[in-house]
Amino acid sequence: MLEALLEIDKQWFIWINSHHCVAMDWTMWALSQHWCIAAVIVVAYLLLVLRHEPRRWWLVLVGIALCFLLADRGSVLLFKNTVCRLRPCHELVDVYDVYMFRTSCGGKYGFVSSHVANIFAVALFLMLRYWKKVARRWPLWLMILWGIAVSYSRSYLGKHYPGDVICGALFGAIIGLIVWWVIGMIEKKSCKSETK
């Protein structure tokens, strides 16, 4: 069963990685850059946090930092270093010529995608935090769409199998949910101490 799933994963990767054009190359490359990820988070922070919670900005900043810390370190320590699944650019060398636009293969192991885990952790944390607080929810949906686009870019650029990306998104979402709950508990305790 596992072998069949891994084979399907490889076939999906080859299909995604073999369909490319110049415009998509640059778009996918930009989406995967750290500066692009930072820019999106800064814009989301300005649109959501400073506009709707000017007094609690520090608490949301702590939440975002926790999301990055836990998703990034967790994806490496819990998955990459224990599962040891090779990246497609390392594994498929003899079978398929992996298309990599302006990027290198990176580390040896790819399960789960740290990029995707980080993005989905932050996106879900912000979505849960602001779902009931904002009248217009389009920035929240854009965060999720951005996460999906970055996820696709990781296979498009030859860095990860689709399974690495899907599991990275699930792991990131769990981290985002946990951080949202923890920040909520901290907020409740600080509110109680302020009223005493």
Side-chain angles (χ1 to χ4, degrees):
M1 176 72 176
L2 181 60
E3 286 182 21
L5 286 173
L6 292 174
E7 188 57 37
I8 290 168
D9 203 22
K10 286 178 187 176
Q11 294 308 313
W12 271 105
F13 168 79
I14 291 170
W15 186 87
I16 292 167
N17 187 252
S18 63
H19 288 80
H20 47 83
C21 66
V22 174
M24 283 290 284
D25 287 351
W26 285 101
T27 303
M28 294 295 116
W29 175 81
L31 282 169
S32 277
Q33 299 308 303
H34 293 292
W35 54 262
C36 182
I37 293 167
V40 171
I41 290 172
V42 167
V43 169
Y45 191 77
L46 294 172
L47 281 173
L48 296 169
V49 182
L50 295 183
R51 186 171 177 195
H52 298 284
E53 290 187 293
R55 297 174 74 194
R56 297 230 181 245
W57 62 269
W58 62 272
L59 199 56
V60 181
L61 200 59
V62 167
I64 291 171
L66 271 174
C67 284
F68 271 113
L69 178 70
L70 296 174
D72 193 64
R73 291 293 82 214
S75 64
V76 173
L77 298 173
L78 297 174
F79 296 99
K80 283 182 180 168
N81 291 348
T82 56
V83 175
C84 300
R85 184 182 189 194
L86 291 173
R87 289 179 186 265
C89 45
H90 289 303
E91 185 178 24
L92 300 177
V93 176
D94 299 331
V95 183
Y96 171 73
D97 188 20
V98 176
Y99 179 73
M100 303 187 78
F101 180 75
R102 294 180 59 88
T103 188
S104 63
C105 198
K108 193 173 181 183
Y109 304 121
F111 184 85
V112 299
S113 170
S114 299
H115 265 74
V116 174
N118 290 337
I119 288 163
F120 271 90
V122 172
L124 193 70
F125 167 71
L126 291 174
M127 188 170 229
L128 291 169
R129 176 118 186 136
Y130 291 103
W131 188 256
K132 293 180 181 177
K133 294 181 182 183
V134 297
R136 295 182 180 150
R137 295 183 176 141
W138 63 265
L140 301 173
W141 287 114
L142 278 180
M143 292 285 293
I144 299 299
L145 288 174
W146 167 62
I148 292 168
V150 171
S151 299
Y152 184 81
S153 79
R154 303 310 287 161
S155 292
Y156 183 97
L157 295 172
K159 304 285 271 184
H160 290 282
Y161 289 108
D164 302 346
V165 167
I166 291 166
C167 293
L170 291 172
F171 176 66
I174 291 167
I175 295 295
L177 179 66
I178 291 168
V179 170
W180 170 74
W181 181 79
V182 168
I183 293 295
M185 295 303 288
I186 292 169
E187 198 168 22
K188 281 180 188 174
K189 286 188 178 182
S190 69
C191 286
K192 282 180 184 176
S193 64
E194 284 173 11
T195 55
K196 285 182 181 179

